[in-house]
Amino acid sequence: MGTRFRWAGLALLAAMLPFAAPAHAESAQTAAGKTYYVDAESGDDAASGTGESSAWKTLAKASALTLGPGDRLLFKAGQRWSGQLTVQGAGRPGRPALVGSYGTGAKPVIDGQGRFDVAMRISNVHDFVVDGLEVTNDSDDTSAYRSVVNLFAKDAGKLENVTLRNLNIHGANGQGGHSVGAAGLLISIRGNQVPTYFHNLVVEKNEISDIGSYGIIMWSTWSRRSGMTSLYPVETGIPDSEVVTWTPSTGVRIRDNYVHDVTGGGITPMHTKGAVIEGNKVERAVRGRTKTTGGNVGIWWQGNDDIVIQRNEVSHTGFNGPGSDGHGFDNDADNNRSLIQYNYSHDNDGGFFLAVSFAAAPTRDTVVRYNISRNDGYESLAASTATVNTHFLNNTIYATTRVVEVKPPFSGAGKYPLERIVRLYNNAAGVTVRNNVFINLQGAGFDNKNGTVYDHNLYWGTEQPPTGNDHAAIKADPKLAAPGQEAPESYRPLDGSPVFDAGVSVDGDLDYAGVAIPDGAPDLGAFQRELAPAKVSGSLVPKGHLERLADRDPATYWESVAKPRLPGTVDLAYDRPRTFAAITMSASRAASRGVTDVDVQTFDGTAWVTRASGKPSWQSDDDTVERQTIALTEPVTADRVRLVVKAAGTGSVRINEVALAVPAAREPYQPGPQAQVTTTFPTSPTHTLDALTDGDPASPWASVSEGVSFPGEFVVDYGKARQIATVTLHTAWAKGQGITDVSLDTWDGSAWVPQVAHHLTGWQESSAKVETSTITLPQPVTTQKLRLTVHQANHQWGNIALYEIVTA
């Protein structure tokens, strides 16, 4: 009521004053901006252009216009213009300028006819929208690369609030390769005088197709950092002297686009911070090439920080043999903290994912989680040179027996079956492989070097998990809904699946389908069973808002009355039993209000049992949310958990969140000897026989360097019967010290039974690379012991060596 009277008083006062328009006042038409029309059939460049009946006719006239705030440049639907359109001008916040269409019918067409390097150039704009056009730039001349639409900026400073949407961009045949200087949609930033970048750039709901290079690519000369000192000068023509200090574009969103049938990469953002690439569909990238060398990737990125690649579908990316990419996704050089989640990758000839870099500009801290890969080729998950801390978490990989064929005249011509589920090139370090489901119909290998951690993964199909180095490998049918089918939902586990509650805790809020990740042990793979948050009760007062302790939001908190009566309890009740090995508490203002002495109990059906005690030590007394972990002596499964709070800070007690956890392994798994091994060969005092069954193919057994004679034997006793179909020997420096001729016998309980005579190993390397040679039995045999009789070996240095004996 009072507010209404105040406004009424102001209105009455204004009515009593003489009218005087302020000097900066705008007319209603100016405030809304002007609208300009272009009609290819009935227009006239001599007309005003400001009405449908007084429309302009040509692209030349439209290109001469500089748009201002609220202005619109509209092309008539269903019509076509030949030539180049140049767009310039700027709006202002809340009053963007617009280039679009009017009338009914098909999108208006801007056709460069291949006579220009780009059919539509949008230069140095901000607060600007381009919406609803069709643009093409095709030609029979394939001697040069061409682009279709170019969003361009040079020495223009911060350019905000630009949106490109609903564009049909197609037909720029070019050279049929992959120059970063050309694309269907090229977003390029040049100059080295005024730091230039986009802020709040949105590229959405566009279709880009039939391009003789990239689909969408974005790059900037403001990109120099670490070892990134040039910007592909052969392809862009930009000298290294123009490449200056990294100044990333921010708030970039490339979403809901459909990119298909391009000869280069599908979507490639470079030189951004906090970009989100989501909801895009990329099909048949790296296809239709006329250049016979090189390769590319469906979605790849370089020179970014904190980029998120999520909810994209990438399929049918082309391949040109090993070393030529061909993957669905590639985290390339000079990226920090990339997050790749909730994507569907399938039928990509080179594989699902690659992280690659070089020493001067390493890519660091990559998380690949909750993705699905189906029928991808050559290598599923790969990390290469100078990459650091690449984490493969909760992915579902369905790897088939298909063979990718690269046909002549391409330089990589040949046939390529799936070689590796996990491949590690060169010095890739800090790799973790955790909570994944691997359906491995090909029996492809898993690389294990440089301290890689395999932890709680499921392996199925032709069983060949990494040799003894997974902390809790499950070898079982994951019981998925319809594995091999196209729909992502086909890879959801069914009731009774061994993936349920079988994982360790990883950072992440949601699964592939948007289901919340629960307390305690999560499920393996990309799908999580839905579990309600814990119901929270207890004796601490007030009892209201205790639900905040299990709302999965550490920013919310519960706080007690001042100086509460202790000890007090906090009870968590779950609708399904949860497995956990630790409990975490989060708190803000914790130095004065955090819990400092607590017992962790579970209910065994009749009584509360103390599982652990802890005395958290908090550091901060501001709004920073700290987290403390109390570890149990062993994992426990329970549906009721209690915290007995025995002491806290000096006033009230504050708790932000309580969560159950299963700590992840931090080091590679070393299981120790899996069997008793004896040999007739004299053993080097520094290389023991335990190495042959310790689960580490990198640890060697070696003989002495003098007095080795043949034949000689190794006998492996597993202590109990096991089924054996193959025996694989691992050796490094094999051409200098590897066994070359060996026979295999198995024990039937009373005598040795010959299985394979004179298996020839055929080693290829004289290097630190560990090679394998597999002896296949005529049929699987159940036995407790096996014997290898060595008839001959390479002993260039006098000794022979063997690194691991693996049965399957």
Side-chain angles (χ1 to χ4, degrees), residues 180 214 217-220 222-225 227-232 243 246 248 267-273 275 277 299-305 307 309 330-336 338 356-358 361-363:
V180 301
Y214 281 84
I217 193 168
M218 176 180 183
W219 47 257
S220 171
W222 296 86
S223 56
R224 181 183 290 263
R225 66 173 180 178
M228 302 303 296
T229 58
S230 66
L231 186 58
Y232 301 98
V243 179
W246 187 74
I267 299 176
T268 298
M270 300 188 197
H271 316 131
T272 71
K273 182 176 177 63
I277 316 302
I299 297 178
W300 70 273
W301 54 100
Q302 177 182 294
N304 305 276
D305 282 359
I307 194 169
I309 312 292
D330 170 20
N331 187 18
D332 215 275
D334 193 33
N335 290 301
N336 297 301
S338 298
V356 64
S357 191
F358 56 92
T363 281

Side-chain angles (χ1 to χ4, degrees), residues 123-126 152-159 189-191 193-197 222:
S123 297
N124 286 343
V125 300
H126 62 82
F152 177 77
K154 184 174 182 180
D155 290 328
K158 181 180 182 181
L159 299 172
I189 301 172
R190 293 285 301 269
Q193 300 301 309
V194 179
T196 300
Y197 62 100
W222 296 86

Side-chain angles (χ1 to χ4, degrees), residues 548 551-557 586-588 625-626 655-657:
R548 294 176 181 174
D551 64 358
R552 301 189 177 103
D553 183 2
T556 63
Y557 63 86
S586 300
S588 55
V625 178
E626 294 183 67
I655 306 174
N656 290 43
E657 195 77 10

Side-chain angles (χ1 to χ4, degrees), residues 466-531:
T467 306
N469 66 344
D470 192 310
H471 284 265
I474 296 176
K475 301 178 188 179
D477 181 350
K479 297 183 179 179
L480 305 184
Q485 298 300 306
E486 293 185 3
E489 286 290 323
S490 301
Y491 302 89
R492 181 184 292 278
L494 300 174
D495 289 346
S497 172
V499 308
F500 297 141
D501 301 331
V504 295
S505 300
V506 297
D507 288 337
D509 300 321
L510 305 172
D511 78 340
Y512 178 89
V515 173
I517 307 304
D519 270 9
D523 299 341
L524 303 183
F527 288 99
Q528 170 67 48
R529 281 188 305 176
E530 195 161 1
L531 177 71

